[in-house]
Amino acid sequence: MHKILISREVYPEVLARLEQHFEVDYHAVDAPLTPKQLASRLADKDGVLTMPTERIDAALLAACPRLKVVCNSAVGYNNIDLDACTRAGVMATNTPGVLDDTTADIAWALLLASARHIAAADQWVRTGQWGGWKFKGWLGQDVHHATLGILGMGRIGQAVARRAAGFEMRVIYHNRTRLSAQREAECRATCVDRATLLRESDFLVLMLPYSPESHHAIGAAELAQMKPTAHLINVARGGIVDDAALIEALQARRIAGAGLDVFEGEPALDPRFFTLDNAVLTPHIGSASSATRMKMAMLAADNLIAALNGDRPPNLLNPQVEKPAR
Ligand code: GLV
């Protein structure tokens, strides 16, 4: 029987499913193992169900000679060195598709919260500062009929775009490859160049995967091109935005606000974030609904079962490694 590790607490249903197939070593705690603990628990394993907080790199792989598959319970996989996996003959998988709507929902939650000062106003009420209704108090920005810009128009970007119809917004996007005319019509979205996207968006939502190419895709130069009334929403990955440049832009009111679920070096945020009254901050909870987390972990389990049974895992990221080299 193959041996696997589940690197974090998941649902009992996921554990039960995997126990039908494998000898399971379960880290039943919702906190990451240290890299050293991970290496030692993985040393005799054939597969692992991981979370985005676990770093899977060449050094770890070298310490795990039996490992054949790494199944991330996340769509993003920048925690996994895919080339190192391929070189080591280890399959890697992710969980695309099942979290699109949940993540699109939180992009909208942050967009609306940023536009209408929801987090700061809530804090103000709770701390007893509300002295009476004001005609000019807490004036925000209209979302309806504004221009929504989306950078990165994959499945989640498209789900964000589709939701804009109810707000009767104009939707523009920029992507490496243009969507088909049919997809554009479904999303009611127009493809524009990056400069137009930056210049014309009232709300700019980032939906790119993180990679060396998308590192600091939004920095001081890009923020300078945005409208002073614009809001930036990032539910993709920390590192796509240059956080120091964003903090400076928010402090100087070069843009109006930001809704952020992901940060460079999270969970250790730049402390200047805490002093901003024009940023809404959430702790990387984009896919965090019970139903979606269950689907993600079950999909990661499906991938693990397929891979170790000699079938092609449904979400294989490195098809070069179809037959594990060891
Ligand atoms: C979560 O961050 C994911 O990539 O699924």
Side-chain angles (χ1 to χ4, degrees):
M1 204 181 216
H2 287 302
K3 290 185 181 180
I4 64 143
L5 172 72
I6 304 176
S7 71
R8 264 213 201 224
E9 184 178 14
V10 288
Y11 296 103
E13 293 88 333
V14 179
L15 174 64
R17 175 123 199 277
L18 288 169
E19 278 178 339
Q20 288 170 0
H21 296 264
F22 308 120
E23 187 182 321
V24 178
D25 176 9
Y26 184 31
H27 178 57
V29 179
D30 200 357
L33 292 162
T34 64
K36 215 168 148 199
Q37 289 166 335
L38 184 64
S40 121
R41 298 271 289 260
L42 265 188
D44 63 342
K45 302 297 186 305
D46 302 288
V48 60
L49 191 157
T50 50
M51 302 287 166
T53 42
E54 272 87 70
R55 178 92 198 122
I56 308 291
D57 56 16
L60 179 81
L61 294 169
C64 309
R66 290 175 54 141
L67 199 64
K68 294 171 191 65
V69 63
V70 174
C71 299
N72 223 26
S73 183
V75 68
Y77 51 89
N78 54 305
N79 57 311
I80 299 176
D81 182 337
L82 200 56
D83 289 341
C85 283
T86 304
R87 281 196 304 275
V90 173
M91 290 177 270
T93 68
N94 66 340
T95 59
V98 292
L99 47 76
D100 299 348
D101 284 319
T102 302
T103 309
D105 286 351
I106 202 165
W108 275 92
L110 287 172
L111 188 159
L112 289 161
S114 189
R116 300 298 297 272
H117 311 299
I118 299 299
D122 173 276
Q123 196 59 26
W124 199 66
V125 172
R126 280 171 201 276
T127 50
Q129 297 179 69
W130 186 17
W133 187 85
K134 285 228 176 18
F135 182 63
K136 289 190 174 171
W138 295 98
L139 299 179
Q141 251 155 272
D142 283 331
V143 172
H144 61 86
H145 298 99
T147 296
L148 172 66
I150 303 173
L151 183 59
M153 197 63 158
R155 287 177 311 268
I156 306 175
Q158 292 172 41
V160 171
R162 284 194 299 271
R163 283 158 173 70
F167 290 87
E168 298 180 60
M169 297 175 89
R170 168 183 176 236
V171 183
I172 54 179
Y173 76 94
H174 182 75
N175 199 44
R176 259 182 317 196
T177 50
R178 190 171 170 178
L179 299 185
S180 67
Q182 188 193 337
R183 275 284 154 80
E184 285 189 351
E186 275 163 23
C187 296
R188 300 182 201 212
T190 305
C191 187
V192 296
D193 60 31
R194 195 179 273 259
T196 306
L197 187 81
L198 293 169
R199 198 175 56 241
E200 296 192 3
S201 297
D202 294 309
F203 299 93
L204 177 59
V205 177
L206 307 179
M207 278 320 333
L208 304 168
Y210 179 79
S211 68
E213 295 78 53
S214 65
H215 179 74
H216 287 187
I218 301 293
E222 290 74 23
L223 291 161
Q225 294 174 58
M226 292 174 67
K227 296 182 186 182
T229 50
H231 294 252
L232 180 73
I233 312 300
N234 187 7
V235 292
R237 272 292 181 276
I240 294 174
V241 176
D242 177 345
D243 280 355
L246 176 60
I247 290 168
E248 281 155 31
L250 288 166
Q251 282 172 336
R253 299 286 201 261
R254 281 198 291 277
I255 65 167
L260 305 169
D261 187 48
V262 287
F263 304 86
E264 291 191 285
E266 62 186 50
L269 271 57
D270 185 320
R272 290 174 296 167
F273 271 123
F274 306 136
T275 64
L276 295 170
D277 62 1
N278 52 352
V280 185
L281 315 175
T282 51
H284 199 150
I285 54 172
S287 62
S289 76
S290 322
T292 293
R293 285 284 158 88
M294 173 68 90
K295 286 182 200 159
M296 292 165 71
M298 279 297 189
L299 186 53
D302 288 346
N303 277 292
L304 201 37
I305 293 164
L308 292 181
N309 282 343
D311 298 326
R312 188 189 179 134
N315 308 111
L316 185 59
L317 294 165
N318 51 349
Q320 308 91 306
V321 192
E322 263 205 82
K323 279 257 168 287
R326 51 193 188 161

